[in-house]
Amino acid sequence: MASKLWSRPFIMIMAINFLIFLSFNMINPSLPIYFQQIGISESTTGLCIGVFTVGSVLVRPIAGDILDTFGRRMVFFISMAALVVLIWSYSLVSTVLFIILLRIVHGVDWGFASTSTSTLATDVIPRQMIGKGVGIFGLSMSVALAFAPALAVDLMDRMGFSGMIYVSTGFLICALALGMLYPFGPPVRRVTQKPKGRDAIIEKSAVLPAVIMAVITLTMSAVTTYVPLYAITMGMENIGVFFTFYAIGLIIVRLCIGSAVDRFGVTRTTMPAFACMLASLLILGFAESLTALLVSGFLYGAGFGGAQTTMQSLAVMNAPQSRFGAANGTFFIGFDLGIGFGALLAGVLSERIGFAHMYLALCLFIILAIVLVLKFHPHKETP
């Protein structure tokens, strides 16, 4: 365990994670637009986006345990090499069946790749700074999100969908090359007998954060996937700036939320985040201008950045270091389930009741998350 936060491994894994999420966030917002161009309906788009979760959820329960058992290095390099091939394969997309199969396999590999980078980060963050460290590490995802959607749309205009995919693949190749320079440490030794069965793949201390995260991310899919289409129905252009405001909110909150978690605890720092997300969805439901969408994007980014940081910090706070992989895997099961079901639900709701009413209906999930936090008062356990 490192004695300081800004160590060489921490900076390098942030850079690697930035490149991975830059590539990832170029794909997801551009797919609905591309699907619309080739005549795929909104509900089918939701299916194609959400089925990604099938693969990731299948592998999340074992990804953490595999990381803890076989080491970070092997999982990282195998999953990253596969990710390069899978992202490039999007340039071959031609039918819905092919899209669905590719999304499932992509989800499987993403489960390994994203869990490995998160686990590498928590390995090198000092335990007494885990909240701050997770928050700062999350900046790599937030900064990527600030640039990726607008970059993807611009590249699609200039080079077409396939050209954008080639650039996205290039970022992953850079991440893989940087990983070859990463100072992987020795395997973490277990201080107790290895758990068996379900206990080996699920870290109990991370279950509550995972459940709360699942509830939150049910709304995230509707925001990050369908806002561009929502804007098009209102005759708005340059909607890529929505994601810039979204990312600005994420970045600002992530710069301070980690320290707040370490100082004030999980419950006190999570409630303002939920309030921002709730306000964002309400604004989306009544939005009639680009300004309203941008304000909503900023608030949702701030809220989601705070909530994800507090829940992910909690997931590893109460786990032994030898179980960090399992804790991150458990946390991301909830994360992925929420995204997958959220995309499916948003696709159906938007087609049946319209985008505005869909966002108002999704407020119920934020209210449920608030109830869960107030009921269980999640906190860091003392030894």
Side-chain angles (χ1 to χ4, degrees):
M1 178 69 69
S3 59
K4 61 179 181 179
L5 179 60
W6 290 104
S7 60
R8 176 171 170 260
F10 182 71
I11 294 171
M12 289 188 70
I13 197 59
M14 279 192 67
I16 292 169
N17 205 55
F18 167 76
L19 291 168
I20 293 173
F21 274 83
L22 186 62
S23 172
F24 182 77
N25 286 308
M26 288 174 67
I27 302 296
N28 277 3
S30 60
L31 282 179
I33 298 174
Y34 177 66
F35 291 163
Q36 186 184 58
Q37 292 173 354
I38 62 177
I40 295 178
S41 68
E42 290 167 5
S43 57
T44 305
T45 294
L47 174 63
C48 292
I49 299 295
V51 77
F52 177 91
T53 304
V54 173
S56 59
V57 168
L58 285 174
V59 78
R60 289 292 190 189
I62 62 172
D65 189 57
I66 288 176
L67 278 161
D68 292 333
T69 302
F70 296 101
R72 297 8 176 176
R73 183 193 303 268
M74 183 188 73
V75 177
F76 173 81
F77 282 113
I78 292 177
S79 62
M80 281 300 300
L83 202 57
V84 169
V85 175
L86 289 167
I87 295 301
W88 173 80
S89 296
Y90 277 95
S91 64
L92 306 176
V93 163
S94 57
T95 65
V96 171
L97 178 60
F98 182 84
I99 293 168
I100 290 174
L101 292 175
L102 178 59
R103 292 289 291 171
I104 292 174
V105 178
H106 184 190
V108 169
D109 191 54
W110 179 253
F112 281 111
S114 56
T115 304
S116 69
T117 54
S118 293
T119 303
L120 285 167
T122 50
D123 281 344
V124 298
I125 295 173
R127 193 63 177 264
Q128 71 277 13
M129 301 174 68
I130 194 71
K132 180 180 180 181
V134 170
I136 292 177
F137 176 70
L139 286 174
S140 61
M141 309 174 203
S142 305
V143 175
L145 183 59
F147 296 101
L151 176 62
V153 172
D154 182 64
L155 288 173
M156 286 179 68
D157 290 339
R158 295 171 181 265
M159 307 166 61
F161 181 74
S162 294
M164 184 273 293
I165 291 297
Y166 297 148
V167 174
S168 178
T169 304
F171 289 131
L172 290 176
I173 293 173
C174 292
L176 185 58
L178 188 58
M180 294 179 182
L181 304 175
Y182 185 80
F184 290 90
V188 177
R189 293 184 178 179
R190 297 182 184 272
V191 296
T192 59
Q193 185 179 359
K194 180 179 177 179
K196 297 180 181 180
R198 184 176 59 184
D199 291 340
I201 58 179
I202 299 295
E203 172 55 42
K204 292 181 180 179
S205 64
V207 170
L208 177 59
V211 171
I212 295 173
M213 203 66 215
V215 174
I216 296 169
T217 51
L218 276 164
T219 68
M220 179 190 176
S221 293
V223 173
T224 58
T225 302
Y226 287 96
V227 162
L229 294 181
Y230 184 29
I232 290 174
T233 64
M234 293 190 288
M236 299 180 188
E237 299 180 353
N238 301 321
I239 194 57
V241 71
F242 171 87
F243 294 98
T244 301
F245 275 74
Y246 174 92
I248 290 172
L250 275 169
I251 292 168
I252 291 175
V253 169
R254 286 191 188 278
L255 285 171
C256 58
I257 190 70
S259 297
V261 171
D262 293 332
R263 183 174 180 182
F264 299 109
V266 173
T267 301
R268 289 193 209 177
T269 50
T270 301
M271 298 310 293
F274 287 161
C276 287
M277 296 174 74
L278 187 60
S280 171
L281 293 176
L282 288 171
I283 292 172
L284 276 177
F286 295 101
E288 296 181 350
S289 66
L290 179 60
T291 300
L293 289 183
L294 298 184
V295 171
S296 173
F298 177 84
L299 287 173
Y300 195 89
F304 186 79
Q308 182 187 2
T309 301
T310 58
M311 291 301 105
Q312 190 171 4
S313 298
L314 182 66
V316 296
M317 274 178 180
N318 298 322
Q321 186 183 358
S322 62
R323 296 280 290 165
F324 276 3
N328 278 297
T330 302
F331 172 79
F332 279 109
I333 290 172
F335 192 99
D336 291 341
L337 280 173
I339 289 179
F341 284 110
L344 291 170
L345 179 62
V348 172
L349 289 177
S350 62
E351 199 166 55
R352 294 189 177 184
I353 64 176
F355 290 106
H357 289 98
M358 173 190 73
Y359 287 117
L360 293 176
L362 292 176
C363 289
L364 294 174
F365 290 103
I366 303 299
I367 294 172
L368 176 58
I370 292 172
V371 171
L372 288 173
V373 170
L374 291 178
K375 177 176 176 59
F376 292 104
H377 291 287
H379 62 281
K380 180 179 180 180
E381 297 176 1
T382 55

